[in-house]
Amino acid sequence: MKIQAIRGVKDIMPDEVEKWRWVENKADQVFTRYGFKEIRLPIFEKTKLFSRGIGETTDIVEKEMYTFEDRGGEKVTLRPEGTASVVRAFIEHKMYASQTVHKFYYLGPMFRYERPQAGRFRQFYQIGVEAMGSHNPSIDAEVMTMLMDFFNILGLNQFELQINSLGCDKCRPEYREALKKSITSHLSDLCENCNKRYQKNPLRVLDCKVERDIEIASGLPKITEHICNECKYHFEKVQALLSEAMVPYSINSRLVRGLDYYTHTAFEIISDELGAQNAICGGGRYNTLVEEFEGPSTPCFGFALGLERLIFLVPFDKVEGIENNPDVFVVPLGEEAESRVFNLIHQLRSGGLSVERDYDGGSMKSQMRKANKSASRFALIIGENEIKSGNYQLKNMQDGKQSNITAASCVEEIKTLINKKI
Ligand SMILES: [Zn+2]
Ligand SMILES: [Zn+2]
């Protein structure tokens, strides 16, 4: 019986991991500049956290969660997203007490039981950020600007920032009613899903992906024409700040995001290179969620970004310094050499170099082939003649040049040559 990985999950093999780590490091660099600090959260939580936090009528909660009872009879769920956990931790650790803006970022696997398709996985990875504790529209604009910085550093340029306002507690209910009314006259033309959904959540009709529904949705009332003055002011301010920072954007009045908790600004970053599933990143302001979890009123802004899609878009052929190839490949020839290299390699590694070798004691030719394959910068050749003469051979694998190197001081010499000082 051959056991294979579960459907919809995948292994990230070492060559790929190099790319992932590079992107993750860039995220850390950029997000840190903007004051975000990493938070590490559990990958499973009480089911209630997500059903309440994400919204009972969303696809995620209705159909996609990995929920099970643990041995103690507690209903637990593998996290389908990160925000609910950040909010829980924020309240649990009483972060609100310090009255400042808290900026977190997280990174890790999320789990949703979706139909596996190209680029979609049941265990997938997200990077997300949450800025908690300020109403200021500068936060909205700053986080979106940060994303632009991040994407530019990754070498992406085919993307578009789309924004919308989703109103607030005061103005959205009125808009919902107006929308519902308007939808009623189109019900027979709308898809089954929209027919089921529009009573509880008419905004979801706006982001239905069925082509005919998209057309109908474009004729429905726009939320930006129904929002209150406060919401209007906030939205205009966000736009002014983005323009000031020269961040290009467009307004998409059909952008409502799949989750119930957004207020004011919502945004997505769209890439043409991704086909139908074209959002790389989405987020927005959620001013009431902390209260819904019985924390004090805390306005927040955040986003989540799918790492698989992002990594797919990065032009790695133009990126330097991703591979972690060995500095030196050691080639021992014969028994005497073999007995010397173990400690030599140990000293090189302790000295900060990455060193690889062949363990099979093959011929010079076969070992050099392996050195080549490892893409190491140098090969250190130690045979009988070298031991007799007290000089090892160091071959530069890029230009093929060979030089003598004194056996007694070879560790220091190689370290200096590779210019890594520990
Ligand atoms: Zn409002
Ligand atoms: Zn529909």
Side-chain angles (χ1 to χ4, degrees), residues 190-195 197 204-205 208-210 213:
L190 287 165
C191 77
E192 203 185 320
N193 229 340
C194 286
N195 268 276
R197 234 186 224 146
R204 296 301 310 280
V205 174
C208 179
K209 300 278 185 274
V210 176
D213 294 22

Side-chain angles (χ1 to χ4, degrees), residues 167-168 171 228 231:
C168 67
C171 56
C228 66
C231 286

Side-chain angles (χ1 to χ4, degrees), residues 287-305:
N287 285 352
T288 55
L289 191 62
V290 177
E291 263 171 292
E292 272 163 47
F293 284 112
E294 277 136 56
S297 168
T298 308
C300 305
F301 191 94
F303 68 77
L305 198 163

Side-chain angles (χ1 to χ4, degrees), residues 220-259:
L220 293 170
K222 289 187 168 57
I223 189 161
T224 40
E225 289 158 7
H226 285 77
I227 52 178
C228 66
N229 283 337
E230 202 184 305
C231 286
K232 210 171 269 171
Y233 171 80
H234 189 96
F235 195 40
E236 278 164 9
K237 190 77 198 171
V238 169
Q239 292 175 60
L241 292 169
L242 288 175
S243 302
E244 211 175 297
M246 312 271 273
V247 173
Y249 66 89
S250 62
I251 297 174
N252 175 2
S253 55
R254 288 185 43 247
L255 194 163
V256 296
R257 308 284 307 138
L259 308 175

